[in-house]
Amino acid sequence: MDFTRYFLRGLKGTLRFNNGVNLSYKGPWVEIFPNTVIDEFYVGDFMSAEYTICVDGGTVDKEIIKCLVVAGPSSASITIYGRTSLQDDMITLSATVNDSKVTLLASPIGPESKKLIFSVSYYHAINDL
């Protein structure tokens, strides 16, 4: 695969996409049940993460959520800063932490089956624990 067809060296040490190159996601997907683990990371590795979460409940049930998670050894916080759906909210999100691992959880709203995919950007811890 010739990666030079897709990427250029960007300013300030960034990776730049060539014009017309984008990202797309299809899976793998996970079916949502109460307290389904969506993602996990260790507090010593990363301090925060930014998620784009897409939920599919069928033909007319679609939702996209943008959220941030930040965590330390004893607490985690989640902020949903963007959310839109074709009907009503389809899931609830929560973040928990034990002494070493952060867990992002999703639970369905309503009895209908829902599937979820996500993308994430992780941000490394700057200071060692």
Side-chain angles (χ1 to χ4, degrees), residues 3-22:
F3 286 102
T4 60
R5 293 181 44 211
Y6 303 100
F7 302 106
L8 299 169
R9 183 179 309 274
L11 299 174
K12 297 182 68 99
T14 60
L15 181 64
R16 191 177 107 195
F17 288 114
N18 272 324
N19 290 341
V21 174
N22 298 291

Side-chain angles (χ1 to χ4, degrees), residues 68-99:
L68 304 170
V69 174
V70 65
S74 61
S75 64
S77 177
I78 183 170
T79 299
I80 295 173
Y81 66 91
R83 182 176 206 151
T84 190
S85 63
L86 294 177
Q87 294 185 4
D88 297 320
D89 292 353
M90 298 175 63
I91 63 170
T92 60
L93 295 171
S94 60
T96 62
V97 67
N98 61 24
D99 286 336

Side-chain angles (χ1 to χ4, degrees), residues 14 29 47 92 107 119 124:
T14 60
W29 55 267
M47 59 179 254
T92 60
S107 292
S119 65
H124 286 267

